[in-house]
Amino acid sequence: MPEQQPYYGKNGEPKKYDPTFKGPIYNRGCTDIVCCILFIICILGYVAVGILAWSQGDPRKVIYPTDSRGQFCGQAGTPLETKPLLFYFNIMKCASPMVLLEFQCPTTQMCVEKCPDKFMTLLKAYTNKEDFKYYKNFCKEGLEGLTVTQILSSGLCPAMLTPSKPFTRRCFPALGQKKGGEITVGNNSKFDDGEGNIRDAKDLVAGVKNATVVIEARQVAMKIFEDYTQSWYWILIGLVIAMLISLLFIVLLRFLAGIMVWVMIVMVILVIGYGIFHCSMEYVSLKSEAGSNVTLKDLGFQTDFSVYLHIRQTWLAFIIILAIVEVIIILLLIFLRNRILIAIALIKEASRAIGYVMSALFYPLFTFALLSIVIAYWAVTAVFLSTSNQPIYKVFNETACDHSRKICEPANFSTSSMKAECPDSKCLFAFYGGETVYHKYLIGLQFYNVFLFFWCANFVTALGQMTLAGAFASYYWALVKPDDMPAFPIFSSLGRSLRYHTGSLAFGSLILSIIQIIRVLLEYIDHKLQGTQNKCTKFLLCCLKCCFWCLEKFIKFINRNAYIMVAIYGKNFCTSAKDAFFLLMRNMIRVAVLDKVTDFLLFLGKLLIVGLVGIFAFFFFSGRVKAFENTAPNLHYYWVPILTVVVGSYLIAHGFFSVYAMCVDTLFLCFLEDLERNDGSAERPYLMSDRLLKVLNKKNKPEPAE
C-alpha cells in the first residue's frame, strides 16, 4: 500500500490526515498517565486530610460560645446545657465587638441562662437577699462567707449589672438613643459602675461601638429570612417558570432557530426599552416628592434598600445603564448583521445536534450533583480543620505586667509566679491553637484543602465539557445521522473520557487550579496590606491581579478547546491544546467574529429569559398590579424574592444554554477541521450541513460518472 500523502492546510502546514476518519476515534489509549496517577494520589491524600480533620476537629467551637474556662455554653449533655449565653463581667474592658467575637476580651466570661434585664451593683445587691439571689446568676461559685471586697478582689462577681440583650449568643448592653442623640442603656442615660462612680451610658459605647452595624446587619438578615419564609413557594414557582421557559426556548430553537434568534433579539431590545420607559416614568413621578432630590452620596448606606427607590438619582442611574446596554446591542447588530447569518446557521446546526442528543440537556444536573459533593466535602473539611485546635489560655491584666498575653495554665495560675508578680492578672481563655506537629502544619492542611477544592471542581467541569464535546462531535462527523452515531452518545463519551482521559482532564484542571490559587493568595496579600499607603505596592498588586485574571480567562479558553480535541482524536492534553490553538489561530477572523457572535446571541437568550421572569417577579412581589395585590405575600423587602428569582433564573438558563454553548464550540471546531481536512471533492467531501455550505458559498462536487 503506498504511503499516504500529506495534506497541506491553507497556511502551508503539512498534516497527515486519516482519510477514513468518521468522527471521535474509538481505538485510543490512555493519555497523561503521570498526571492521572498524581491526581489519584492527591485525592487519596485529600481523603486522609478529611479523616484527620474529622477526628481532630470539633464544630461545637463554631456553634457554641466559650467561657473563660474553655467550656461550651449551651452544649447538650453538659452542666451548661441550660446556659446558652455568654456574659462579660465588664464590657467596658472590651475594645470592640470583634474582640468579643474572637474570645479575647480581657475580662471574665461565664455562661448564663439569660442576660441581665436591670441595673444593679454588687454593693447594693449584697444588702438585699432577693437581689443577691438574682445577682448570683451572674457570679462564680464559692461566695459563701465572703465580703463584697473579697468577692470583687477574687473576681467572683461583676461589680455591676446593666440591662443587656443577647446577640450571637452573647450579652451586649441594651444601648439606645433619645431624640436629641443622647445615648441610653436600659432607657437611662447614666448608671452606677459598682465602684461608687456615676457614669454616662456613652461610656459603654467604647466596648460595642462597632456592634451597631453588625446588629443592624443582623436585623436585616432576620427580615430577609422572614421574607424567604413568606415567599419561598412563590420563588420556587418563579424558578419553575424560568425552567419551563428555558426548555421551551430550546425546543423552539430546535425547529425555528432562525426565527427564534431574530424574535429573541427584538424582544431583548423591547424589554430593555420598556425598562428605560418605566424608569423614566418613575424618575418623572418623583419630581414633586419631597426629599427625592437627595444624592446617593449624601444618603449613604441604608439597610432599608427600598429607600433608594424614592431617590430620583437611583432611577436616573438605571436609565443611563439600560440606555448604554441598548445602544451597544443595537450597534453590534448593525455592524455584525452579516456574521449573524452564519451564527444563526451554526445555532441551527447545534439545535439539530441537541435534537439527536436530547440527554445532553440533563447532563448539567449530573455536573451540579458532583460539584455539590465537592463543595460540601470542602466546606465540612474546612470547618473541622478550623476547629481542630486546642484551647489556649493567656494572661490578661489591667495594669502593666511583664507576663501580659503570655500563655498560662488556669489550673495552677493562682499559685504561679505570674500571679505573684501581677496580682490583678487573670488567666483567661484566649483562642484555639496548639503546639503539636499537627497544629504547626494546620495552615498547610487548610491550603491543601482549598487547592484540592479548586482542582476537583475544575476536574468536574472539565469532565462535563469533554463528555458533551465527544457526544456532539460524533453527531457532526456522522455521514448518516443517527445511524453512524453511538446508541447513547452521552454515556459513550462519558465512558471514554473517564477510561482514557482522566489524566488529561486532571492536567488541564491542575493548570487552571494553580492560577486560581495564586489569585487567592494575591487577594489575601492585598487584604493584609490594606492599611499600608505604599502606592508602588498597591500598583504592583493591582497589575498582578489583572494579569492573572486575564491568564485564567485564557487558560479556560485553551482548556475548553483542548478537551474538544481530546474527545475527538484521543491525543494527550498538550498535543490537543497545541492543535486546537493553532487551528483557531489559522482561523482567527472566524473565531473573533463568528464564534463570539454566536456566544453573544446565546447570551441574549439568557438575558431574555431573565428579563421576562424578572419583570413578572417585580410586578408580582411589588404589588404594582392590582390583580396580584391580595395574592402577593407581605414582605419587608420585596427585592429579596425578586433578586433570588432573577439570579436563580440566570443559573437555570445558563445551565441549559451552557449545553448549547458547548455544542456550538464543538461544532465550530469540527467545522474548522472540516474546512481544512476536506475540499468538497468526491474524495474529500465536506461533512457540514447543507445550511452551512450554502452560507459559506461552498458545495460538494458530485461524484464523476462511471
Side-chain angles (χ1 to χ4, degrees):
M1 184 175 179
E3 183 181 355
Q4 178 185 334
Q5 295 299 315
Y7 162 68
Y8 291 89
K10 293 182 178 180
N11 296 327
E13 66 286 349
K15 290 182 173 296
K16 290 186 178 181
Y17 286 118
D18 182 4
T20 62
F21 180 77
K22 302 299 181 185
I25 296 173
Y26 294 94
N27 184 20
R28 58 179 71 196
C30 296
T31 57
D32 299 298
I33 298 175
V34 174
C35 202
C36 177
I37 296 173
L38 177 64
F39 182 65
I40 293 173
I41 293 173
C42 289
I43 290 295
L44 294 176
Y46 198 23
V47 173
V49 169
I51 295 173
L52 182 63
W54 300 338
S55 63
Q56 298 288 330
D58 189 353
R60 295 175 302 175
K61 297 172 185 176
V62 176
I63 301 172
Y64 304 106
T66 311
D67 66 6
S68 296
R69 298 179 179 178
Q71 302 176 107
F72 301 120
C73 299
Q75 181 186 349
T78 66
L80 300 179
E81 181 178 4
T82 58
K83 298 180 178 181
L85 305 175
L86 192 67
F87 171 72
Y88 297 88
F89 272 26
N90 190 348
I91 195 72
M92 289 184 289
K93 292 183 180 180
C94 305
S96 73
M98 301 313 298
V99 170
L100 301 181
L101 296 176
E102 293 172 0
F103 311 102
Q104 293 178 348
C105 184
T107 187
T108 303
Q109 305 149 39
M110 66 176 295
C111 302
V112 296
E113 186 175 348
K114 61 180 182 178
C115 297
D117 55 6
K118 52 188 174 181
F119 285 107
M120 193 174 291
T121 63
L122 178 61
L123 190 62
K124 292 182 179 180
Y126 193 80
T127 60
N128 186 295
K129 187 176 181 180
E130 290 297 323
D131 288 346
F132 193 54
K133 182 180 179 181
Y134 173 81
Y135 208 97
K136 285 182 178 179
N137 293 321
F138 307 97
C139 297
K140 298 180 182 179
E141 298 178 352
L143 301 179
E144 290 75 10
L146 298 179
T147 63
V148 173
T149 304
Q150 291 173 327
I151 293 173
L152 290 175
S153 62
S154 301
L156 299 178
C157 286
M160 63 168 181
L161 299 179
T162 58
S164 304
K165 292 182 179 179
F167 171 60
T168 63
R169 297 195 178 192
R170 293 162 178 84
C171 296
F172 284 88
L175 296 175
Q177 193 172 24
K178 292 183 178 180
K179 290 184 178 180
E182 187 178 15
I183 302 296
T184 63
V185 56
N187 296 323
N188 294 323
S189 58
K190 297 184 181 297
F191 67 95
D192 188 339
D193 66 357
E195 298 178 358
N197 302 317
I198 303 299
R199 305 182 64 170
D200 293 330
K202 65 181 181 181
D203 294 340
L204 292 169
V205 176
V208 291
K209 59 182 179 180
N210 294 328
T212 53
V213 175
V214 182
I215 292 171
E216 286 181 3
R218 178 176 178 269
Q219 291 173 346
V220 172
M222 291 301 297
K223 289 180 179 179
I224 291 175
F225 179 76
E226 291 175 7
D227 287 345
Y228 276 126
T229 60
Q230 293 291 328
S231 61
W232 65 269
Y233 46 91
W234 293 111
I235 293 174
L236 286 179
I237 292 174
L239 296 180
V240 169
I241 292 174
M243 184 182 68
L244 293 176
I245 293 176
S246 300
L247 189 59
L248 177 64
F249 203 90
I250 296 296
V251 172
L252 290 176
L253 276 177
R254 168 68 179 88
F255 300 102
L256 304 168
I259 298 174
M260 283 299 298
V261 169
W262 288 112
V263 169
M264 173 186 67
I265 292 172
V266 173
M267 288 191 68
V268 167
I269 294 174
L270 290 176
V271 168
I272 297 176
Y274 174 77
I276 295 173
F277 171 76
H278 178 76
C279 293
S280 301
M281 295 299 294
E282 291 286 347
Y283 178 78
V284 173
S285 65
L286 290 173
K287 187 175 182 179
S288 58
E289 188 172 320
S292 61
N293 290 318
V294 177
T295 64
L296 294 173
K297 183 178 180 181
D298 294 335
L299 184 63
F301 177 76
Q302 301 291 327
T303 55
D304 185 1
F305 293 102
S306 62
V307 172
Y308 295 106
L309 300 180
H310 297 281
I311 305 300
R312 297 186 75 200
Q313 200 176 78
T314 303
W315 295 104
L316 180 61
F318 288 157
I319 293 171
I320 294 172
I321 293 171
L322 291 175
I324 292 173
V325 173
E326 183 93 324
V327 170
I328 290 174
I329 291 175
I330 292 174
L331 289 177
L332 286 174
L333 292 174
I334 292 173
F335 290 106
L336 299 177
R337 59 187 182 279
N338 293 327
R339 293 293 177 180
I340 287 176
L341 296 176
I342 305 177
I344 290 175
L346 199 57
I347 289 176
K348 287 180 179 179
E349 196 65 19
S351 300
R352 290 187 62 201
I354 291 177
Y356 284 105
V357 193
M358 286 297 292
S359 57
L361 290 175
F362 302 98
Y363 187 85
L365 297 176
F366 177 67
T367 300
F368 176 77
L370 290 180
L371 284 176
S372 299
I373 294 172
V374 171
I375 293 172
Y377 185 88
W378 163 76
V380 171
T381 303
V383 169
F384 274 87
L385 281 174
S386 61
T387 58
S388 58
N389 288 311
Q390 299 171 346
I392 299 297
Y393 300 87
K394 288 191 175 183
V395 176
F396 290 92
N397 58 289
E398 299 180 34
T399 59
C401 176
D402 294 336
H403 302 290
S404 180
R405 302 303 187 270
K406 289 185 178 179
I407 296 176
C408 59
E409 289 294 335
N412 57 4
F413 182 73
S414 58
T415 59
S416 66
S417 59
M418 293 182 182
K419 182 66 173 178
E421 295 177 18
C422 304
D424 64 337
S425 62
K426 298 181 179 64
C427 184
L428 303 178
F429 169 79
F431 55 88
Y432 287 100
E435 298 296 330
T436 64
V437 175
Y438 170 77
H439 294 105
K440 286 181 179 179
Y441 293 99
L442 193 57
I443 185 67
L445 296 178
Q446 285 281 22
F447 178 83
Y448 186 79
N449 182 37
V450 174
F451 179 73
L452 262 292
F453 163 70
F454 281 127
W455 197 357
C456 292
N458 290 326
F459 180 88
V460 170
T461 303
L463 177 62
Q465 292 174 347
M466 186 179 291
T467 299
L468 293 173
F472 293 130
S474 65
Y475 160 82
Y476 185 94
W477 297 106
L479 285 174
V480 181
K481 303 174 178 62
D483 295 344
D484 291 344
M485 294 172 60
F488 302 99
I490 286 290
F491 295 106
S492 176
S493 180
L494 177 62
R496 284 198 308 271
S497 300
L498 289 175
R499 181 178 178 182
Y500 297 110
H501 306 303
T502 298
S504 298
L505 293 169
F507 193 5
S509 54
L510 173 63
I511 296 172
L512 184 58
S513 301
I514 292 173
I515 296 171
Q516 289 173 335
I517 203 70
I518 292 174
R519 290 192 63 200
V520 170
L521 291 175
L522 288 174
E523 291 293 340
Y524 176 77
I525 294 172
D526 187 30
H527 176 73
K528 288 294 184 182
L529 297 178
Q530 277 184 352
T532 63
Q533 300 297 322
N534 192 327
K535 293 183 179 180
C536 181
T537 304
K538 289 182 178 180
F539 175 76
L540 181 61
L541 275 174
C542 185
C543 291
L544 286 173
K545 289 195 291 184
C546 180
C547 290
F548 277 97
W549 180 84
C550 294
L551 182 59
E552 181 183 353
K553 296 298 179 185
F554 176 73
I555 292 298
K556 283 183 177 180
F557 174 77
I558 292 296
N559 282 5
R560 187 180 181 92
N561 290 283
Y563 296 143
I564 296 173
M565 298 298 279
V566 172
I568 297 173
Y569 295 109
K571 298 179 182 179
N572 62 50
F573 177 81
C574 290
T575 302
S576 300
K578 181 193 69 175
D579 292 343
F581 179 75
F582 285 114
L583 177 63
L584 294 172
M585 288 301 100
R586 291 193 299 272
N587 297 271
M588 189 180 298
I589 302 299
R590 286 194 177 100
V591 173
V593 179
L594 179 57
D595 191 38
K596 295 309 159 189
V597 168
T598 308
D599 291 341
F600 172 69
L601 293 177
L602 293 178
F603 172 74
L604 289 184
K606 290 186 280 189
L607 198 64
L608 175 62
I609 293 170
V610 172
L612 291 174
V613 178
I615 289 174
F616 172 78
F618 174 78
F619 283 111
F620 178 80
F621 289 110
S622 65
R624 300 293 178 95
V625 180
K626 292 184 178 180
F628 299 141
E629 282 182 346
N630 298 326
T631 307
N634 294 320
L635 304 171
H636 298 288
Y637 309 117
Y638 65 80
W639 54 264
V640 171
I642 294 174
L643 191 61
T644 305
V645 169
V646 167
V647 174
S649 300
Y650 179 81
L651 294 176
I652 291 172
H654 180 72
F656 281 99
F657 279 87
S658 64
V659 176
Y660 236 99
M662 195 65 207
C663 181
V664 168
D665 287 347
T666 303
L667 296 183
F668 181 70
L669 216 59
C670 293
F671 158 75
L672 297 180
E673 278 280 290
D674 195 4
L675 288 176
E676 291 200 351
R677 174 186 297 278
N678 304 308
D679 56 9
S681 63
E683 294 78 15
R684 292 204 301 266
Y686 293 119
L687 295 180
M688 67 185 74
S689 66
D690 295 335
R691 294 188 185 91
L692 283 176
L693 286 173
K694 185 177 180 180
V695 172
L696 294 171
N697 292 321
K698 295 184 181 294
K699 59 182 180 179
N700 286 320
K701 298 176 183 178
E703 295 184 8
E706 296 182 1

